[in-house]
């Protein structure tokens, strides 16, 4: 019989099959997930807000619908978490920052509405670092979020809580957001299957240059399932793509004949560790052995382009920072204060230059990748760093030295996925980024699913469901514990 952590970590597609044939119930799954959360949350620190009593009521309602043969939607009864910057009516949104007065939304975001309409059981809102501008689980409001693989390692960010929840077995479906790598960085450092979709593919209520939301899961099939829900249209996002009938379940197929680029030098930031490069090369070899035409992709970013993107983002956050009361500013994380002060009093002409440089990033990224069906690359130049460290590289001048492979696809709007492709010698996960042409989200997911099926055994994550000793005295799911408030 499945243990609680085994049931909690079950892929969503398997949960749904169990609900349909009545071998599983949404309440049974919910209670198993809550048991795992209770055992691990004091270490992982993934949640900002959670209410087990309310989510259990949602699971009970789902169980009744399945019993009547009337599921509400595609993910009825499946546990879901949402990042704290995804609006939920009445739930405060501090954006990870102790200096802000949390906004309390009056309406659900499009993502929240689609999940609710589809019957997803929302467990709560997951944490993020200050304004999403740290690539770690360090937050002035929430403290430190830690990796389920090893509490001494970072989760990555800014979708830190979502990543910890996915890797930690808090159910199968999690939503992150990404403006420079914030879905894919936790993806590589936690061994996840993720997708930063095409710009506008998933409607947002606060669209912004380069911003996207997407699934963070353990399997590509679950990411594809979640895209069927999250990508449904919402008129509130004036920048979203027009509705498109995409068969997200069509993940079968081969890579023979595909033209696959391998991009190993970003042209900016810090160089890749040898273990990262070797892991991506091994992934490329799997594609080549299956008949893909594999070719190197040259550098298309420059340090100047990355620095100007950094300055543009500093100015944006400086405007937020200076709007705070003087006393509130002192509560913002010191690294973020120092970083955004670099954007103080920058002339408008210089900001416009930075914006024009972002347009150059768009043009260069599309031009360099257009000849290829797919482009494989590292996600980040390093593996997971210490959990207490705000960013991968010490020093304020290196704040964006790790996003040379990820940020270009935010600016160009192209889809990019991550799949685990190996481990360092000390067992830190390494992900490969699989990017595609503009709007070819399905092609990217199909390639990710193919690699997931065909990767070598040593690249397959064996999830740390009991790795830190937090889960002890395993119980089976034959009894149903009561939900508990945190």
């Amino acid at each position: 019989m499945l243990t609680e952590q085994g049931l909690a970590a079950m892929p969503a597609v398997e949960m749904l099959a169990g609900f349909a044939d009545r071998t599983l119930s949404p309440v049974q799954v919910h209670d198993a997930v809550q048991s795992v959360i209770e055992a691990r949350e004091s270490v992982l620190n993934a949640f900002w807000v959670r209410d087990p009593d309310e989510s259990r009521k949602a699971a009970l309602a789902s169980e009744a619908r399945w019993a009547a043969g009337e599921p509400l939607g595609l993910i009825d009864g499946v546990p879901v978490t949402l990042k704290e910057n995804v609006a939920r009516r009445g739930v405060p949104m501090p954006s990870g920052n102790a200096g802000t007065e949390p906004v309390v939304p009056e309406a659900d975001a499009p993502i929240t509405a689609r999940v609710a309409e589809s019957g997803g059981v929302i467990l709560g809102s997951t944490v993020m670092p200050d304004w999403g501008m740290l690539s770690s689980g360090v937050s002035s409001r929430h403290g430190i979020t830690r990796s389920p693989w090893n509490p001494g390692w970072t989760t990555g960010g800014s979708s830190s809580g979502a990543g910890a929840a996915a890797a930690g077995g808090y159910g199968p479906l999690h939503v992150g957001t990404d403006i420079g790598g914030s879905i894919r960085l936790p993806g590589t450092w936690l061994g996840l299957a993720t997708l930063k979709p095409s710009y506008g593919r998933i409607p947002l209520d606060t669209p912004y240059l380069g911003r996207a939301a997407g699934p963070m899961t353990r399997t590509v099939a679950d990411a594809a399932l979640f895209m069927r829900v999250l990508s449904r249209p919402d008129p509130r996002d004036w920048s979203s793509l027009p509705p498109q009938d995409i068969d997200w379940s069509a993940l079968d197929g081969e890579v023979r004949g595909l033209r696959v680029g391998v991009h190993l030098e970003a042209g900016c930031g810090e160089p890749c560790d040898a273990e990262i490069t070797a892991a991506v090369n091994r992934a490329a070899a799997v594609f080549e052995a299956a008949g893909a035409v594999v070719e190197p992709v040259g550098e298309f970013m420059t340090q100047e382009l990355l620095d100007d993107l950094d300055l543009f983002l500093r100015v944006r956050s400086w405007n937020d920072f200076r709007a705070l009361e003087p006393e509130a500013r002192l509560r913002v994380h010191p690294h973020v204060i120092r970083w955004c002060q670099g954007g103080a009093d920058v002339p408008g002409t210089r900001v416009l230059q930075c914006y024009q440089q972002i347009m150059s990033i768009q043009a260069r990224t599309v031009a360099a990748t257009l000849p290829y069906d797919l482009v494989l690359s590292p996600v980040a130049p390093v593996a997971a760093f210490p959990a207490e460290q705000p960013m991968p590289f010490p020093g304020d001048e290196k704040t964006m030295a790790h996003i040379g492979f990820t940020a270009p696809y935010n600016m160009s709007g192209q889809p990019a996925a991550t799949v685990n492709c190996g481990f360092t010698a000390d067992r830190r996960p390494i992900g490969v980024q699989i990017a595609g042409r503009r709007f070819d989200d399905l092609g990217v997911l199909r390639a990710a699913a193919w690699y997931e099926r065909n990767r070598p055994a040593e690249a397959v994550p064996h999830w740390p469901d009991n790795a830190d000793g937090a889960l002890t005295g395993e119980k089976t799911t034959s009894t149903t514990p009561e939900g508990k408030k945190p």
Side-chain angles (χ1 to χ4, degrees):
M1 184 175 291
L2 280 172
T3 63
E4 285 179 333
Q5 52 263 49
L7 182 54
M10 180 182 288
V13 292
E14 294 181 20
M15 282 184 186
L16 291 165
F19 298 161
D21 66 15
R22 306 293 298 278
T23 58
L24 288 178
S25 81
V27 175
Q28 183 184 22
V29 167
H30 173 270
D31 291 346
V33 171
Q34 292 297 340
S35 180
V36 171
I37 293 171
E38 291 289 341
R40 311 200 81 180
E41 181 60 6
S42 64
V43 174
L44 300 188
N45 188 31
F47 277 106
W48 156 236
V49 170
R50 59 181 276 254
D51 188 336
D53 291 340
E54 284 301 311
S55 56
R56 195 169 198 272
K57 289 177 185 176
L60 283 165
S62 173
E63 185 171 76
R65 291 192 293 269
W66 280 106
E70 298 176 349
L72 188 61
L74 286 170
I75 57 171
D76 201 340
V78 177
V80 175
T81 73
L82 304 176
K83 191 174 174 180
E84 70 174 91
N85 61 346
V86 177
R88 298 169 60 206
R89 185 169 62 87
V91 176
M93 300 170 65
S95 295
N97 195 318
T100 62
E101 184 65 30
V103 174
V104 181
E106 297 180 356
D108 286 339
I111 288 169
T112 308
R114 300 296 87 76
V115 170
E117 291 166 4
S118 299
V121 174
I122 298 175
L123 301 176
S125 299
T126 54
V127 300
M128 60 187 286
D130 297 48
W131 286 322
M133 297 315 299
L134 295 175
S135 297
S136 68
V138 176
S139 161
S140 63
R141 182 175 287 268
H142 306 306
I144 298 173
T145 302
R146 298 179 180 275
S147 171
W149 291 93
N150 183 324
W153 299 342
T154 189
T155 55
S158 63
S159 301
S160 51
Y170 291 11
L173 301 181
H174 309 272
V175 174
T177 64
D178 189 320
I179 202 168
S182 291
I183 288 172
R184 291 157 290 160
L185 294 170
T188 188
W189 293 327
L190 292 168
L192 302 174
T194 73
L195 176 67
K196 194 282 304 172
S198 295
Y199 182 80
R201 179 69 70 198
I202 293 176
L204 307 172
D205 54 354
T206 53
Y208 193 85
L209 177 67
R211 178 179 288 153
M216 301 178 69
T217 61
R218 290 185 173 190
T219 69
V220 177
D222 275 0
L225 168 69
F226 213 8
M227 285 299 296
R228 295 175 67 186
V229 173
L230 301 177
S231 63
R232 289 173 178 168
D234 193 296
R236 289 175 287 175
D237 187 347
W238 60 91
S239 68
S240 61
L241 297 174
Q244 188 175 353
D245 187 15
I246 297 174
D247 184 1
W248 295 103
S249 64
L251 297 180
D252 292 334
E254 298 300 321
V255 299
R256 178 173 298 279
L258 293 184
R259 193 173 179 191
V260 177
V262 182
H263 182 212
L264 298 175
E265 299 289 341
C268 58
E270 291 293 289
C272 277
D273 288 352
E275 288 181 297
I276 306 290
T277 300
V280 174
N281 273 326
R282 288 193 295 271
V286 174
F287 280 83
E288 188 168 38
V293 180
V294 176
E295 304 172 8
V297 176
E299 300 174 4
F300 54 86
M301 281 286 287
T302 68
Q303 190 61 47
E304 181 183 11
L305 289 170
L306 185 62
D307 288 344
D308 283 357
L309 172 60
D310 178 28
L311 182 57
F312 182 87
L313 295 173
R314 287 178 191 244
V315 172
R316 186 186 75 144
S317 289
W318 172 253
N319 283 334
D320 293 333
F321 180 77
R322 70 176 185 172
L324 300 176
E325 295 295 329
E327 186 276 332
R329 295 176 189 176
L330 299 176
R331 298 197 297 269
V332 178
H333 193 280
H335 185 98
V336 173
I337 294 175
R338 294 193 304 271
W339 172 75
C340 72
Q341 282 174 336
D345 303 321
V346 175
T349 53
R350 181 71 180 97
V351 176
L352 184 57
Q353 287 175 346
C354 293
Y355 181 79
Q356 290 169 331
Q357 289 282 67
I358 291 171
M359 299 302 103
S360 295
I361 294 173
Q362 292 179 342
R364 283 170 175 252
T365 305
V366 171
T369 60
L370 189 60
Y372 306 100
D373 298 292
L374 305 166
V375 174
L376 310 184
S377 76
V379 181
V382 292
F385 50 94
E388 295 80 8
Q389 199 168 301
M391 293 293 256
F393 302 108
D396 294 344
E397 74 282 0
K398 293 184 177 181
T399 53
M400 299 297 172
H402 58 293
I403 63 169
F405 292 107
T406 53
Y409 296 112
N410 290 85
M411 300 306 111
S412 71
Q414 293 170 248
T418 70
V419 184
N420 199 68
C421 68
F423 294 86
T424 63
D426 58 359
R427 300 303 296 167
R428 288 173 292 163
I430 301 170
V432 61
Q433 179 172 249
I434 304 175
R437 294 192 178 106
R438 297 177 70 215
F439 315 127
D440 189 20
D441 302 67
L442 181 58
V444 166
L445 280 179
R446 187 178 286 137
W450 180 89
Y451 176 70
E452 185 182 57
R453 293 192 302 271
N454 290 279
R455 63 188 167 183
E458 59 268 21
V460 177
H462 297 284
W463 297 102
D465 293 322
N466 199 24
D468 61 5
L471 298 178
T472 57
E474 294 183 355
K475 295 181 290 184
T476 68
T477 58
S478 58
T479 59
T480 303
E482 292 299 317
K484 302 175 186 176
K485 284 189 180 291

